[in-house]
Amino acid sequence: MATTADASHDTPRVAVIGTGGWGRNLARNLQQLGALRAIVDPCREHRDAMLAEAPGVAAHAEYQAALDDPAIDAVVIATPVATHYAIAYDALAADKDVFVEKPLTLQADAAWELVALAEARQRLLMVGHLLLFQPAIVWLRDALAAGQIGELHSIHQRRRGLGRVRDHENVLWCLGSHDIAVQRLLLGERSIERLTAHGQCLLQPAIEDDVHLHITYAGGVQTHLHCSWLWPNRDRGLMIVGSDGMLEYDEIEQVVTLHRKGVDGDLNPSDRGSEVIQRGHDQPLRLEMEHFLACVERRETCRSDGRCGAAVIDVLMQAGQQLQQLRRNDDPT
């Protein structure tokens, strides 16, 4: 296993801020890639656990110590989302490149402020939308661009399961940001023309457990997303419907299936069979970290850059406003 001391001088030197849970996975991958120089966590137990895996890296309780280190090129932020804005802002102001776990911020104006700061200081800002680094999703983007299934009609997404229920955000914020980011990748620069959201608060007041989000994009393409953490089985998938067939991505099995099926001009169903034509990758997190390091080194725009992350927050906030209004309308008081 490579250590920071073994890394090439050209390898970006990274500090991970927040090493509990997912942050530890990020730090572990960066350590294996020879890029980890420091960890930051106010919890001594978290720091000690990470140092057991990455001996020799610097460890700090406060993130400012990492920002003050001129040897650190970039920071990876895996702290609670409410802290993302302040830490990312300070890091960009300190001229560090920044990776932030999704969602970028809790408010759209804060997200776009970070985008503006990154661009003004010529720093990279990347958001951790992991699905965008699953090769199967990138393959689907290229297949649609090449007209693999003809004219694109609609995208149907589902992300459902039993728990893990949050008490501070609804299921769309918790789960749906993955799928909204995928829509942005698959549909490129298409603008949103109409958005409608419907949800139910069954377990907690004012926190939706089940949400349906429908979006119409320029050109008439529609997307339909169902998120639920009150569902009996784990179900994560994507169906893309075109004029000449359908592409299905099973995220759990990590396979893409081409369905040569449809309805002809006489309204008769046509079925020319199905076949698996692409498989996913078992380590998208490694690919995501490799991409971030390459972008830092080469000064290239990240696939999931700040603009991508802020656009996702725009959609989440617009949907949230609709859900809030629906709750008000349903409140008998």
Side-chain angles (χ1 to χ4, degrees):
M1 178 183 296
T3 66
T4 302
D6 299 327
S8 162
H9 179 69
D10 292 333
T11 302
R13 295 158 296 189
V14 181
V16 174
I17 303 174
T19 58
W22 191 247
R24 188 170 176 180
N25 292 331
L26 291 162
R28 184 181 297 119
N29 274 269
L30 289 165
Q31 169 72 1
Q32 293 168 357
L33 292 168
L36 185 66
R37 184 177 181 94
I39 58 170
V40 178
D41 201 298
C43 175
R44 178 68 177 270
E45 183 179 341
H46 289 170
R47 296 198 305 273
D48 288 346
M50 194 65 240
L51 286 173
E53 296 188 45
V57 303
H60 308 292
E62 302 294 336
Y63 70 81
Q64 191 60 49
L67 302 188
D68 290 339
D69 185 349
I72 290 177
D73 304 304
V75 300
V76 166
I77 301 170
T79 57
V81 63
T83 68
H84 285 183
Y85 171 79
I87 299 174
Y89 187 96
D90 289 346
L92 292 168
D95 287 326
K96 309 296 185 186
D97 294 314
V98 174
F99 173 99
V100 187
E101 261 308 323
K102 67 86 187 169
L104 176 54
T105 59
L106 290 173
Q107 299 292 330
D109 56 353
W112 287 108
E113 186 176 343
L114 291 178
V115 171
L117 179 61
E119 293 176 353
R121 301 192 74 92
Q122 298 185 323
R123 294 291 95 195
L124 298 183
L125 176 60
M126 177 171 165
V127 184
H129 287 292
L130 185 62
L131 261 183
L132 303 190
F133 297 89
Q134 173 53 256
I137 293 294
V138 178
W139 185 91
L140 286 170
R141 177 199 63 187
D142 296 341
L144 292 180
Q148 176 100 25
I149 55 172
E151 181 183 356
L152 176 61
H153 292 329
S154 59
I155 296 175
H156 306 256
Q157 297 163 297
R158 58 195 190 277
R159 190 166 299 276
R160 307 179 290 213
L162 192 61
R164 169 185 177 191
V165 177
R166 305 297 180 92
D167 61 5
H168 59 280
E169 63 183 3
N170 67 29
V171 70
L172 185 63
W173 271 88
C174 180
L175 301 180
S177 58
H178 293 289
D179 303 284
I180 296 167
V182 168
Q183 290 182 28
R184 304 307 300 169
L185 183 72
L186 297 182
L187 297 176
E189 298 302 316
R190 290 178 189 251
S191 60
I192 292 176
E193 294 185 342
R194 186 170 64 256
L195 179 155
T196 58
H198 300 275
Q200 284 184 291
C201 304
L202 300 171
L203 303 176
Q204 304 170 89
I207 298 179
E208 285 80 11
D209 317 289
D210 191 281
V211 172
H212 291 263
L213 176 67
H214 308 283
I215 302 176
T216 300
Y217 287 87
V221 174
Q222 295 191 12
T223 66
H224 311 279
L225 168 61
H226 181 205
C227 294
S228 179
W229 52 39
L230 195 58
W231 203 260
N233 45 24
R234 190 165 178 259
D235 181 19
R236 297 182 175 185
L238 164 69
M239 182 72 74
I240 306 173
V241 179
S243 59
D244 298 331
M246 306 169 191
L247 287 166
E248 180 181 12
Y249 172 48
D250 185 325
E251 190 179 324
I252 297 175
E253 297 298 325
Q254 284 300 328
V255 295
V256 176
T257 302
L258 170 63
H259 300 285
R260 297 183 179 89
K261 302 179 181 183
V263 177
D264 65 23
D266 295 323
L267 304 184
N268 296 312
S270 171
D271 186 345
R272 293 176 289 120
S274 304
E275 65 172 315
V276 173
I277 56 176
Q278 179 68 15
R279 294 188 180 273
H281 192 281
D282 62 353
Q283 293 191 58
L285 181 57
R286 173 61 63 88
L287 299 180
E288 184 179 46
M289 289 295 95
E290 289 176 344
H291 178 81
F292 178 59
L293 294 176
C295 289
V296 170
E297 184 176 348
R298 301 168 189 167
R299 312 313 300 164
E300 297 176 348
T301 301
C302 304
R303 183 181 305 160
S304 57
D305 65 2
R307 288 184 171 271
C308 168
V312 170
I313 303 301
D314 282 340
V315 172
L316 289 172
M317 287 200 67
Q318 187 175 344
Q321 290 165 1
Q322 289 197 17
L323 292 171
Q324 184 180 51
Q325 186 59 51
L326 288 172
R327 291 198 303 269
R328 289 173 178 166
N329 293 343
D330 292 341
D331 187 349
T333 62

